[in-house]
Amino acid sequence: MKNRRKRNKKILIWQYVIGIGILLTVLAFSLLNLFNLSMEPYRAARSNSIELARKYAGVSKVDSFGIYNGDKTYYSLLGETDQEKKKAVLIEKGSDKIFVYELSDGASKKEAERIARKNGADAIDKVTFGYLNDRPIWEVKSGKSYYIVDFEKRKLLSKEGL
């Protein structure tokens, strides 16, 4: 009788262990699937933007893709043409507007970072090419602050955030 209780207790413990293992496995796969589904809109926007940049701007190599959220949302691509001209392409979300800029015509990404640092930015978290108030800009994120640098005039337009 005593041995039977010990054996039943061991079986019960193993059932708990197996049950918890199955539960954790299902939870892990569910979280991975949820993450995969949440990334799908980003992947679709990136893929469509690259296709449009190739078609309308002649971009053959994409160096970076980002999303700029200002007054409107823009998909931002930086890349090169076959002639090795560096270009920035902005595609307005939900519109057929596409803006193409040669990066040699304005402030570079590094120059925008330098301008932001000169105006108080510490560590740079992210730099995104965007479009604000009918002009191309660089948005430099540093901590909780955003530095808006005019692409063409190469100067700080504003500092936003805390």
Side-chain angles (χ1 to χ4, degrees):
M1 183 107 169
K2 212 175 193 182
N3 280 342
R4 187 182 286 173
R5 277 191 187 155
K6 278 187 177 181
R7 195 170 356 125
N8 286 344
K9 198 173 187 179
K10 284 183 182 180
I11 290 171
L12 187 62
I13 290 172
W14 275 107
Q15 286 175 342
Y16 279 122
V17 169
I18 290 170
I20 289 171
I22 291 171
L23 181 67
L24 290 175
T25 302
V26 168
L27 184 63
F29 279 112
S30 297
L31 289 173
L32 288 172
N33 189 41
L34 184 63
F35 177 73
N36 188 41
L37 288 173
S38 70
M39 289 301 294
E40 187 54 36
Y42 177 85
R43 281 189 289 244
R46 184 178 193 278
S47 175
N48 291 339
S49 297
I50 289 172
E51 186 178 318
L52 289 171
R54 286 191 173 128
K55 184 176 180 180
Y56 294 105
V59 173
S60 57
K61 178 186 168 210
V62 175
D63 296 326
S64 69
F65 172 79
I67 299 174
Y68 170 74
N69 292 304
D71 295 336
K72 297 178 183 174
T73 299
Y74 293 89
Y75 301 123
S76 171
L77 284 113
L78 302 178
E80 284 184 36
T81 65
D82 287 334
Q83 295 78 29
E84 296 183 5
K85 289 187 178 186
K86 295 189 180 284
K87 292 195 175 188
V89 180
L90 292 170
I91 302 164
E92 187 177 322
K93 181 181 179 183
S95 169
D96 58 355
K97 291 182 183 175
I98 298 174
F99 302 96
V100 180
Y101 300 94
E102 286 204 28
L103 289 176
S104 61
D105 292 343
S108 68
K109 185 176 180 179
K110 294 277 186 208
E111 192 174 351
E113 289 177 11
R114 196 169 35 255
I115 291 168
R117 280 195 184 96
K118 183 178 159 187
N119 287 281
D122 292 328
I124 305 296
D125 300 324
K126 182 176 147 185
V127 180
T128 307
F129 195 76
Y131 197 76
L132 184 66
N133 300 329
D134 298 323
R135 67 176 67 177
I137 54 104
W138 288 103
E139 178 187 65
V140 181
K141 182 180 183 300
S142 175
K144 294 182 180 181
S145 298
Y146 291 86
Y147 297 82
I148 307 301
V149 177
D150 189 298
F151 170 73
E152 293 168 333
K153 294 182 181 175
R154 301 173 186 215
K155 66 177 189 172
L156 184 73
L157 293 175
S158 66
K159 176 183 174 185
E160 302 167 1
L162 302 174

